[in-house]
Amino acid sequence: MNGQTNAPQHAHTTISRRTFLAGSLGLGLAAMLPGVGLTGCAPQNGSAQTAAKDEGEFDIIVVGAGGAGMTAALSAQEAGANVVLLEKMAVVGGNTNFAEGGMNASQTALQKEEGIEDSNELFAQDTFVGGKELGDKELIRYMCENSNAAIERLAERGMHLTKISTSGGASVPRIHRPEDGSAVGGYLVTHMHDLCTERGIGARTNMNVESLIMEDGKIAGLVASDGKKEYTFKAPVVILATGGFGANHEMLAQYRPELIDAVTTNQPGAQGDGIAIATDIGADTVDLEHIQVHPTVEQSTSILLSEGIRGDGAILINAEGNRFTNELLTRDKVTAAEWEQPGGWAYAVFDQHVYDDNKSIKEKFEKQGLLLSGTTLEELASSMDEIDPANFISAVTTYNDCIEQGLDDPFGRTASLNPIVNAPFYAVKVAPGIHHTMGGLKIDTATRVLDTSGNPIAGLFAAGEVTGGVHGGNRLGGNAVCDINVFGHRAAESALEYLSA
């Protein structure tokens, strides 16, 4: 890599995200994002070049302090780079804070210990097929082949994912989780943030990146704002890890109009900012129309009921008290089946065994009064609105009997066939909610952001949900955490290679 590209040439310019928002995505979207005006491209407080406070020079600027951004910052800093980490929200973590299930990885020591036969090739095939055969095979292959290394790197940094389970679309158990049943996202964010702080790369929060600076066709830094002042950060490398646009309903509605009023599991900062500022300097995008809706979201709070809970044995029951699908199909298929049910919702039903293995049930549902329970199935049924108790008892009994007698499941479920027999019994009412945006900036396996001619933009890298191509038309549960760890680290590696070229 020599740092040279055919990216658009700019003698010295800053390009605001207003052009992208007001143009290709519509004026409604522009009005939604903080600090975005509808008239002109000049910053509101004057020229960014003359008005912005100079914050100094760095080797690498990482934008976004979620899982991908903190991974990139840690890996770059470990290699000796001078790194600054910027985060537009008041807290770090981004959407990683809300990751519940775990991290998919193949050919791991834990799988071998438990006698699970897996391969990088099978993982890649599951990802490609689960993504409706639309994903970039090279990106998928890279992620899968480097997934075990990411698990080992996390362990070296004090983050141990030592419990294994199954998620929808996986041929074998490969979703790695914290041993104590904690949600993987909060676990990783806490540890990553502590490490960043210890190593002197604590995130500068409330710092919203407004534009990228280009000099002679290469990245030279960026302009950010805290809402009061503008700041210039200079660096030859920027790594974008700003997440997707799952909280931006108007942008979502450009591609899925029916989602304009849907609840979202995304944190409010997931507005597509990184896509906008990169597109303004000629970056290409891919798969923006592919938006994932998760089937098990509590509607009054937008809290996600982890796919790991179904992976551990929960079943779905409709308003009539009946099962209606294989609960471990891919998310798009389970969502479609759920939408076809009366009212478009379901109950996730499970027993004490599942409750004990998933801390989020108590922390996120029981403490907020969202968890129904009963010492018997009959008692649980009496607390569930709108269902037929006789159908419900029959559905659970049939499920249990098939497992006990070794019969085929009526809905074709073959994984995580754990009977619901350990009292007390529980239920959470759920329905689909916006969860993940598969599309974003177009990158190669070195995480270089590509322009619309297919050339890398010199000095610009990206990782995580801000990118597209990895997940195709549907993301498998557990693949986002793999994505951020594999490609966050790869972005740091590639940035260092670029700097040394």
Side-chain angles (χ1 to χ4, degrees), residues 178-238:
E179 183 64 36
D180 66 357
S182 297
V184 68
Y187 174 82
L188 293 180
V189 166
T190 298
H191 285 274
M192 286 182 181
H193 177 248
D194 288 347
L195 278 175
C196 286
T197 302
E198 289 171 11
R199 298 178 183 184
I201 47 175
R204 300 193 189 186
T205 56
N206 296 304
M207 192 63 67
N208 190 34
V209 175
E210 299 287 348
S211 55
L212 297 169
I213 300 173
M214 299 286 287
E215 291 180 355
D216 300 322
K218 301 177 184 179
I219 289 292
L222 55 78
V223 175
S225 171
D226 63 4
K228 298 178 182 178
K229 298 179 182 178
E230 287 184 335
Y231 304 85
T232 297
F233 295 82
K234 298 175 182 176
V237 168
V238 170

Short mmCIF file of all heavy atoms in Angstrom, two decimals, residues 178-238:
data_model
loop_
_atom_site.label_atom_id
_atom_site.label_comp_id
_atom_site.label_asym_id
_atom_site.label_seq_id
_atom_site.Cartn_x
_atom_site.Cartn_y
_atom_site.Cartn_z
N PRO A 178 -20.40 -14.51 27.55
CA PRO A 178 -19.80 -14.50 28.88
C PRO A 178 -20.33 -15.67 29.72
O PRO A 178 -21.51 -16.01 29.63
CB PRO A 178 -20.24 -13.16 29.47
CG PRO A 178 -20.52 -12.30 28.27
CD PRO A 178 -21.08 -13.24 27.25
N GLU A 179 -19.50 -16.25 30.53
CA GLU A 179 -19.85 -17.45 31.29
C GLU A 179 -21.02 -17.21 32.24
O GLU A 179 -21.84 -18.10 32.47
CB GLU A 179 -18.64 -17.93 32.08
CG GLU A 179 -18.87 -19.22 32.86
CD GLU A 179 -19.16 -20.42 31.95
OE1 GLU A 179 -18.57 -20.49 30.86
OE2 GLU A 179 -20.00 -21.25 32.33
N ASP A 180 -21.12 -16.00 32.80
CA ASP A 180 -22.15 -15.75 33.81
C ASP A 180 -23.51 -15.40 33.22
O ASP A 180 -24.43 -15.06 33.95
CB ASP A 180 -21.69 -14.65 34.77
CG ASP A 180 -21.55 -13.28 34.10
OD1 ASP A 180 -21.74 -13.20 32.86
OD2 ASP A 180 -21.25 -12.31 34.82
N GLY A 181 -23.64 -15.46 31.90
CA GLY A 181 -24.92 -15.17 31.28
C GLY A 181 -25.17 -13.70 31.02
O GLY A 181 -26.27 -13.32 30.59
N SER A 182 -24.17 -12.86 31.25
CA SER A 182 -24.33 -11.42 31.00
C SER A 182 -24.52 -11.16 29.51
O SER A 182 -24.05 -11.92 28.66
CB SER A 182 -23.09 -10.65 31.47
OG SER A 182 -22.91 -10.77 32.86
N ALA A 183 -25.19 -10.06 29.20
CA ALA A 183 -25.29 -9.63 27.81
C ALA A 183 -23.89 -9.30 27.30
O ALA A 183 -23.12 -8.60 27.97
CB ALA A 183 -26.20 -8.41 27.70
N VAL A 184 -23.57 -9.79 26.11
CA VAL A 184 -22.20 -9.66 25.61
C VAL A 184 -21.82 -8.20 25.39
O VAL A 184 -20.66 -7.81 25.62
CB VAL A 184 -22.03 -10.48 24.31
CG1 VAL A 184 -22.85 -9.87 23.16
CG2 VAL A 184 -20.57 -10.60 23.93
N GLY A 185 -22.76 -7.36 24.95
CA GLY A 185 -22.42 -5.99 24.62
C GLY A 185 -21.95 -5.18 25.81
O GLY A 185 -20.88 -4.56 25.77
N GLY A 186 -22.74 -5.17 26.87
CA GLY A 186 -22.36 -4.43 28.06
C GLY A 186 -21.07 -4.94 28.65
O GLY A 186 -20.23 -4.16 29.15
N TYR A 187 -20.88 -6.25 28.60
CA TYR A 187 -19.65 -6.87 29.10
C TYR A 187 -18.44 -6.35 28.33
O TYR A 187 -17.44 -5.92 28.93
CB TYR A 187 -19.78 -8.38 28.96
CG TYR A 187 -18.53 -9.17 29.31
CD1 TYR A 187 -18.23 -9.48 30.64
CD2 TYR A 187 -17.68 -9.62 28.31
CE1 TYR A 187 -17.09 -10.22 30.96
CE2 TYR A 187 -16.55 -10.36 28.61
CZ TYR A 187 -16.25 -10.65 29.93
OH TYR A 187 -15.13 -11.38 30.24
N LEU A 188 -18.51 -6.37 27.01
CA LEU A 188 -17.38 -5.92 26.20
C LEU A 188 -17.15 -4.43 26.32
O LEU A 188 -16.00 -3.97 26.43
CB LEU A 188 -17.60 -6.29 24.73
CG LEU A 188 -17.61 -7.79 24.39
CD1 LEU A 188 -17.85 -7.98 22.90
CD2 LEU A 188 -16.31 -8.47 24.81
N VAL A 189 -18.22 -3.64 26.29
CA VAL A 189 -18.07 -2.18 26.36
C VAL A 189 -17.40 -1.77 27.67
O VAL A 189 -16.49 -0.93 27.69
CB VAL A 189 -19.44 -1.48 26.21
CG1 VAL A 189 -19.35 0.00 26.62
CG2 VAL A 189 -19.91 -1.57 24.76
N THR A 190 -17.83 -2.36 28.77
CA THR A 190 -17.24 -2.03 30.07
C THR A 190 -15.74 -2.30 30.08
O THR A 190 -14.94 -1.45 30.48
CB THR A 190 -17.92 -2.83 31.19
OG1 THR A 190 -19.30 -2.47 31.25
CG2 THR A 190 -17.27 -2.54 32.54
N HIS A 191 -15.36 -3.48 29.62
CA HIS A 191 -13.94 -3.85 29.62
C HIS A 191 -13.14 -3.02 28.63
O HIS A 191 -12.02 -2.57 28.93
CB HIS A 191 -13.79 -5.34 29.32
CG HIS A 191 -14.14 -6.22 30.48
ND1 HIS A 191 -13.25 -6.56 31.47
CD2 HIS A 191 -15.30 -6.82 30.82
CE1 HIS A 191 -13.83 -7.34 32.36
NE2 HIS A 191 -15.08 -7.51 31.99
N MET A 192 -13.68 -2.80 27.43
CA MET A 192 -12.96 -2.02 26.43
C MET A 192 -12.77 -0.58 26.89
O MET A 192 -11.69 0.01 26.71
CB MET A 192 -13.71 -2.04 25.10
CG MET A 192 -13.62 -3.34 24.34
SD MET A 192 -14.49 -3.22 22.75
CE MET A 192 -14.24 -4.89 22.11
N HIS A 193 -13.82 -0.01 27.47
CA HIS A 193 -13.71 1.37 27.94
C HIS A 193 -12.68 1.49 29.04
O HIS A 193 -11.88 2.44 29.06
CB HIS A 193 -15.07 1.86 28.45
CG HIS A 193 -15.03 3.25 29.01
ND1 HIS A 193 -15.22 3.51 30.34
CD2 HIS A 193 -14.79 4.45 28.41
CE1 HIS A 193 -15.11 4.82 30.55
NE2 HIS A 193 -14.86 5.40 29.40
N ASP A 194 -12.66 0.53 29.96
CA ASP A 194 -11.66 0.55 31.04
C ASP A 194 -10.25 0.47 30.47
O ASP A 194 -9.34 1.19 30.91
CB ASP A 194 -11.90 -0.60 32.01
CG ASP A 194 -13.14 -0.40 32.87
OD1 ASP A 194 -13.67 0.73 32.91
OD2 ASP A 194 -13.58 -1.38 33.50
N LEU A 195 -10.06 -0.41 29.47
CA LEU A 195 -8.75 -0.54 28.85
C LEU A 195 -8.33 0.75 28.14
O LEU A 195 -7.18 1.19 28.27
CB LEU A 195 -8.74 -1.70 27.86
CG LEU A 195 -8.55 -3.11 28.41
CD1 LEU A 195 -8.69 -4.13 27.29
CD2 LEU A 195 -7.19 -3.25 29.09
N CYS A 196 -9.24 1.34 27.39
CA CYS A 196 -8.94 2.59 26.70
C CYS A 196 -8.54 3.67 27.69
O CYS A 196 -7.57 4.41 27.47
CB CYS A 196 -10.13 3.05 25.86
SG CYS A 196 -10.41 2.11 24.34
N THR A 197 -9.27 3.76 28.79
CA THR A 197 -8.98 4.77 29.80
C THR A 197 -7.62 4.53 30.44
O THR A 197 -6.82 5.46 30.61
CB THR A 197 -10.08 4.77 30.87
OG1 THR A 197 -11.35 5.02 30.25
CG2 THR A 197 -9.82 5.85 31.92
N GLU A 198 -7.35 3.27 30.78
CA GLU A 198 -6.06 2.93 31.39
C GLU A 198 -4.90 3.28 30.48
O GLU A 198 -3.82 3.66 30.94
CB GLU A 198 -6.02 1.43 31.71
CG GLU A 198 -6.90 0.99 32.85
CD GLU A 198 -6.98 -0.53 32.96
OE1 GLU A 198 -6.18 -1.20 32.28
OE2 GLU A 198 -7.83 -1.02 33.72
N ARG A 199 -5.11 3.16 29.18
CA ARG A 199 -4.02 3.37 28.23
C ARG A 199 -3.99 4.79 27.67
O ARG A 199 -3.26 5.08 26.73
CB ARG A 199 -4.14 2.36 27.09
CG ARG A 199 -4.01 0.93 27.60
CD ARG A 199 -4.16 -0.10 26.50
NE ARG A 199 -4.10 -1.45 27.05
CZ ARG A 199 -4.14 -2.55 26.32
NH1 ARG A 199 -4.24 -2.45 24.99
NH2 ARG A 199 -4.09 -3.73 26.88
N GLY A 200 -4.79 5.66 28.25
CA GLY A 200 -4.73 7.06 27.87
C GLY A 200 -5.44 7.41 26.59
O GLY A 200 -5.14 8.46 25.99
N ILE A 201 -6.38 6.56 26.17
CA ILE A 201 -7.14 6.88 24.95
C ILE A 201 -8.64 6.94 25.26
O ILE A 201 -9.47 6.50 24.47
CB ILE A 201 -6.86 5.87 23.82
CG1 ILE A 201 -6.94 4.41 24.31
CG2 ILE A 201 -5.54 6.13 23.16
CD1 ILE A 201 -6.81 3.38 23.22
N GLY A 202 -8.94 7.47 26.42
CA GLY A 202 -10.34 7.64 26.77
C GLY A 202 -11.06 8.50 25.74
O GLY A 202 -10.50 9.47 25.21
N ALA A 203 -12.28 8.14 25.44
CA ALA A 203 -13.03 8.83 24.38
C ALA A 203 -13.36 10.26 24.77
O ALA A 203 -13.70 10.55 25.91
CB ALA A 203 -14.31 8.06 24.08
N ARG A 204 -13.27 11.16 23.78
CA ARG A 204 -13.74 12.52 23.94
C ARG A 204 -15.21 12.52 23.52
O ARG A 204 -15.53 12.45 22.34
CB ARG A 204 -12.93 13.49 23.09
CG ARG A 204 -11.45 13.50 23.42
CD ARG A 204 -10.75 14.68 22.80
NE ARG A 204 -9.30 14.57 22.95
CZ ARG A 204 -8.44 15.53 22.60
NH1 ARG A 204 -8.91 16.66 22.07
NH2 ARG A 204 -7.15 15.37 22.75
N THR A 205 -16.10 12.57 24.49
CA THR A 205 -17.53 12.46 24.22
C THR A 205 -18.12 13.82 23.84
O THR A 205 -17.47 14.86 23.95
CB THR A 205 -18.26 11.88 25.43
OG1 THR A 205 -17.99 12.70 26.58
CG2 THR A 205 -17.81 10.45 25.72
N ASN A 206 -19.39 13.77 23.38
CA ASN A 206 -20.09 14.97 22.92
C ASN A 206 -19.31 15.68 21.80
O ASN A 206 -19.35 16.91 21.69
CB ASN A 206 -20.35 15.94 24.07
CG ASN A 206 -21.27 15.34 25.12
OD1 ASN A 206 -22.38 14.92 24.82
ND2 ASN A 206 -20.79 15.27 26.35
N MET A 207 -18.62 14.90 21.01
CA MET A 207 -17.80 15.46 19.92
C MET A 207 -18.34 14.93 18.60
O MET A 207 -18.07 13.80 18.19
CB MET A 207 -16.34 15.08 20.11
CG MET A 207 -15.38 15.83 19.22
SD MET A 207 -15.35 17.63 19.52
CE MET A 207 -14.63 17.72 21.16
N ASN A 208 -19.14 15.74 17.94
CA ASN A 208 -19.84 15.34 16.73
C ASN A 208 -19.04 15.73 15.49
O ASN A 208 -18.80 16.91 15.25
CB ASN A 208 -21.22 16.00 16.70
CG ASN A 208 -22.09 15.45 15.59
OD1 ASN A 208 -22.01 14.27 15.26
ND2 ASN A 208 -22.93 16.29 15.02
N VAL A 209 -18.60 14.75 14.72
CA VAL A 209 -17.80 15.03 13.53
C VAL A 209 -18.69 15.59 12.44
O VAL A 209 -19.68 14.98 12.04
CB VAL A 209 -17.07 13.76 13.05
CG1 VAL A 209 -16.34 14.04 11.75
CG2 VAL A 209 -16.09 13.29 14.12
N GLU A 210 -18.32 16.77 11.95
CA GLU A 210 -19.11 17.47 10.94
C GLU A 210 -18.60 17.26 9.52
O GLU A 210 -19.37 17.28 8.57
CB GLU A 210 -19.13 18.97 11.26
CG GLU A 210 -19.75 19.33 12.60
CD GLU A 210 -21.25 19.18 12.60
OE1 GLU A 210 -21.83 19.02 11.51
OE2 GLU A 210 -21.85 19.23 13.67
N SER A 211 -17.29 17.09 9.37
CA SER A 211 -16.73 17.01 8.03
C SER A 211 -15.33 16.42 8.08
O SER A 211 -14.65 16.47 9.11
CB SER A 211 -16.68 18.40 7.37
OG SER A 211 -15.97 19.31 8.20
N LEU A 212 -14.93 15.86 6.95
CA LEU A 212 -13.58 15.34 6.79
C LEU A 212 -12.74 16.35 6.02
O LEU A 212 -13.25 17.04 5.13
CB LEU A 212 -13.61 14.02 6.03
CG LEU A 212 -14.35 12.87 6.73
CD1 LEU A 212 -14.54 11.69 5.77
CD2 LEU A 212 -13.60 12.43 7.98
N ILE A 213 -11.48 16.46 6.35
CA ILE A 213 -10.56 17.37 5.67
C ILE A 213 -9.72 16.57 4.69
O ILE A 213 -9.15 15.53 5.04
CB ILE A 213 -9.64 18.09 6.67
CG1 ILE A 213 -10.47 18.92 7.67
CG2 ILE A 213 -8.64 18.99 5.93
CD1 ILE A 213 -9.64 19.53 8.78
N MET A 214 -9.67 17.05 3.46
CA MET A 214 -8.86 16.43 2.42
C MET A 214 -7.78 17.39 1.97
O MET A 214 -8.01 18.59 1.80
CB MET A 214 -9.73 16.05 1.22
CG MET A 214 -10.84 15.06 1.51
SD MET A 214 -10.24 13.38 1.75
CE MET A 214 -9.82 12.94 0.05
N GLU A 215 -6.56 16.88 1.78
CA GLU A 215 -5.47 17.65 1.19
C GLU A 215 -4.82 16.80 0.11
O GLU A 215 -4.36 15.68 0.39
CB GLU A 215 -4.44 18.05 2.25
CG GLU A 215 -4.94 19.07 3.25
CD GLU A 215 -3.89 19.43 4.29
OE1 GLU A 215 -2.80 18.81 4.26
OE2 GLU A 215 -4.15 20.32 5.12
N ASP A 216 -4.79 17.30 -1.11
CA ASP A 216 -4.18 16.58 -2.23
C ASP A 216 -4.74 15.17 -2.38
O ASP A 216 -4.02 14.21 -2.65
CB ASP A 216 -2.66 16.52 -2.06
CG ASP A 216 -2.03 17.90 -1.99
OD1 ASP A 216 -2.49 18.79 -2.73
OD2 ASP A 216 -1.10 18.10 -1.19
N GLY A 217 -6.04 15.06 -2.20
CA GLY A 217 -6.70 13.77 -2.41
C GLY A 217 -6.55 12.79 -1.28
O GLY A 217 -6.93 11.61 -1.42
N LYS A 218 -6.00 13.21 -0.16
CA LYS A 218 -5.80 12.32 0.97
C LYS A 218 -6.46 12.89 2.23
O LYS A 218 -6.60 14.10 2.38
CB LYS A 218 -4.30 12.14 1.25
CG LYS A 218 -3.50 11.58 0.10
CD LYS A 218 -2.02 11.51 0.47
CE LYS A 218 -1.18 11.03 -0.70
NZ LYS A 218 0.28 10.98 -0.35
N ILE A 219 -6.83 12.01 3.13
CA ILE A 219 -7.35 12.46 4.42
C ILE A 219 -6.27 13.24 5.16
O ILE A 219 -5.10 12.82 5.21
CB ILE A 219 -7.79 11.23 5.26
CG1 ILE A 219 -9.05 10.61 4.69
CG2 ILE A 219 -8.00 11.63 6.73
CD1 ILE A 219 -10.31 11.47 4.81
N ALA A 220 -6.67 14.37 5.75
CA ALA A 220 -5.74 15.18 6.53
C ALA A 220 -6.30 15.51 7.91
O ALA A 220 -5.64 16.20 8.69
CB ALA A 220 -5.41 16.46 5.79
N GLY A 221 -7.49 15.02 8.23
CA GLY A 221 -8.08 15.30 9.53
C GLY A 221 -9.58 15.46 9.42
O GLY A 221 -10.20 15.01 8.45
N LEU A 222 -10.15 16.15 10.39
CA LEU A 222 -11.59 16.37 10.39
C LEU A 222 -11.95 17.57 11.24
O LEU A 222 -11.14 18.08 12.03
CB LEU A 222 -12.33 15.11 10.87
CG LEU A 222 -11.95 14.50 12.23
CD1 LEU A 222 -12.56 15.27 13.40
CD2 LEU A 222 -12.37 13.05 12.30
N VAL A 223 -13.19 18.00 11.08
CA VAL A 223 -13.75 19.06 11.90
C VAL A 223 -14.89 18.49 12.72
O VAL A 223 -15.76 17.78 12.19
CB VAL A 223 -14.26 20.24 11.04
CG1 VAL A 223 -14.96 21.28 11.92
CG2 VAL A 223 -13.12 20.87 10.27
N ALA A 224 -14.88 18.74 14.01
CA ALA A 224 -15.91 18.24 14.91
C ALA A 224 -16.48 19.40 15.72
O ALA A 224 -15.89 20.48 15.78
CB ALA A 224 -15.35 17.17 15.84
N SER A 225 -17.62 19.15 16.34
CA SER A 225 -18.28 20.19 17.13
C SER A 225 -18.86 19.60 18.40
O SER A 225 -19.34 18.48 18.41
CB SER A 225 -19.40 20.84 16.31
OG SER A 225 -20.19 21.70 17.11
N ASP A 226 -18.80 20.37 19.47
CA ASP A 226 -19.45 19.97 20.72
C ASP A 226 -20.79 20.69 20.90
O ASP A 226 -21.39 20.66 21.97
CB ASP A 226 -18.55 20.22 21.92
CG ASP A 226 -18.22 21.70 22.13
OD1 ASP A 226 -18.74 22.56 21.38
OD2 ASP A 226 -17.43 22.01 23.04
N GLY A 227 -21.25 21.34 19.82
CA GLY A 227 -22.50 22.10 19.88
C GLY A 227 -22.30 23.56 20.19
O GLY A 227 -23.20 24.38 19.99
N LYS A 228 -21.10 23.90 20.66
CA LYS A 228 -20.78 25.29 20.99
C LYS A 228 -19.61 25.80 20.16
O LYS A 228 -19.61 26.93 19.70
CB LYS A 228 -20.45 25.42 22.48
CG LYS A 228 -21.60 25.04 23.40
CD LYS A 228 -21.18 25.14 24.86
CE LYS A 228 -22.31 24.72 25.80
NZ LYS A 228 -21.88 24.75 27.23
N LYS A 229 -18.62 24.95 20.00
CA LYS A 229 -17.42 25.31 19.25
C LYS A 229 -17.12 24.24 18.22
O LYS A 229 -17.58 23.10 18.32
CB LYS A 229 -16.21 25.42 20.19
CG LYS A 229 -16.31 26.48 21.26
CD LYS A 229 -15.04 26.45 22.12
CE LYS A 229 -15.12 27.48 23.25
NZ LYS A 229 -13.90 27.42 24.12
N GLU A 230 -16.33 24.62 17.23
CA GLU A 230 -15.81 23.66 16.27
C GLU A 230 -14.33 23.42 16.56
O GLU A 230 -13.61 24.32 17.02
CB GLU A 230 -16.01 24.16 14.84
CG GLU A 230 -17.46 24.10 14.39
CD GLU A 230 -17.63 24.50 12.93
OE1 GLU A 230 -16.77 25.26 12.44
OE2 GLU A 230 -18.61 24.06 12.31
N TYR A 231 -13.89 22.20 16.30
CA TYR A 231 -12.53 21.80 16.60
C TYR A 231 -11.94 21.09 15.38
O TYR A 231 -12.61 20.28 14.74
CB TYR A 231 -12.49 20.84 17.79
CG TYR A 231 -13.13 21.39 19.04
CD1 TYR A 231 -14.51 21.28 19.24
CD2 TYR A 231 -12.37 22.01 20.02
CE1 TYR A 231 -15.11 21.78 20.39
CE2 TYR A 231 -12.95 22.52 21.18
CZ TYR A 231 -14.32 22.40 21.36
OH TYR A 231 -14.91 22.90 22.49
N THR A 232 -10.69 21.38 15.10
CA THR A 232 -9.98 20.70 14.03
C THR A 232 -9.01 19.69 14.63
O THR A 232 -8.19 20.03 15.48
CB THR A 232 -9.18 21.69 13.16
OG1 THR A 232 -10.09 22.59 12.52
CG2 THR A 232 -8.39 20.95 12.09
N PHE A 233 -9.14 18.44 14.20
CA PHE A 233 -8.22 17.38 14.58
C PHE A 233 -7.45 16.98 13.31
O PHE A 233 -8.07 16.62 12.31
CB PHE A 233 -8.97 16.17 15.13
CG PHE A 233 -9.69 16.42 16.42
CD1 PHE A 233 -10.95 17.02 16.42
CD2 PHE A 233 -9.12 16.05 17.62
CE1 PHE A 233 -11.62 17.25 17.61
CE2 PHE A 233 -9.79 16.27 18.82
CZ PHE A 233 -11.04 16.87 18.82
N LYS A 234 -6.14 17.02 13.36
CA LYS A 234 -5.34 16.72 12.19
C LYS A 234 -4.72 15.32 12.30
O LYS A 234 -4.19 14.96 13.34
CB LYS A 234 -4.23 17.77 12.03
CG LYS A 234 -4.77 19.18 11.80
CD LYS A 234 -3.65 20.20 11.76
CE LYS A 234 -4.20 21.61 11.58
NZ LYS A 234 -3.12 22.64 11.62
N ALA A 235 -4.82 14.58 11.22
CA ALA A 235 -4.23 13.24 11.16
C ALA A 235 -4.27 12.75 9.73
O ALA A 235 -5.20 13.08 8.99
CB ALA A 235 -4.98 12.27 12.07
N PRO A 236 -3.31 11.92 9.32
CA PRO A 236 -3.35 11.35 7.97
C PRO A 236 -4.29 10.17 7.83
O PRO A 236 -4.50 9.70 6.72
CB PRO A 236 -1.90 10.92 7.75
CG PRO A 236 -1.38 10.64 9.12
CD PRO A 236 -2.05 11.62 10.02
N VAL A 237 -4.82 9.71 8.96
CA VAL A 237 -5.73 8.56 8.94
C VAL A 237 -6.97 8.85 9.79
O VAL A 237 -6.86 9.34 10.92
CB VAL A 237 -5.05 7.28 9.48
CG1 VAL A 237 -6.08 6.18 9.72
CG2 VAL A 237 -3.99 6.79 8.51
N VAL A 238 -8.13 8.51 9.22
CA VAL A 238 -9.39 8.51 9.97
C VAL A 238 -10.01 7.13 9.83
O VAL A 238 -10.12 6.61 8.72
CB VAL A 238 -10.37 9.59 9.46
CG1 VAL A 238 -11.76 9.40 10.09
CG2 VAL A 238 -9.84 10.99 9.77
#
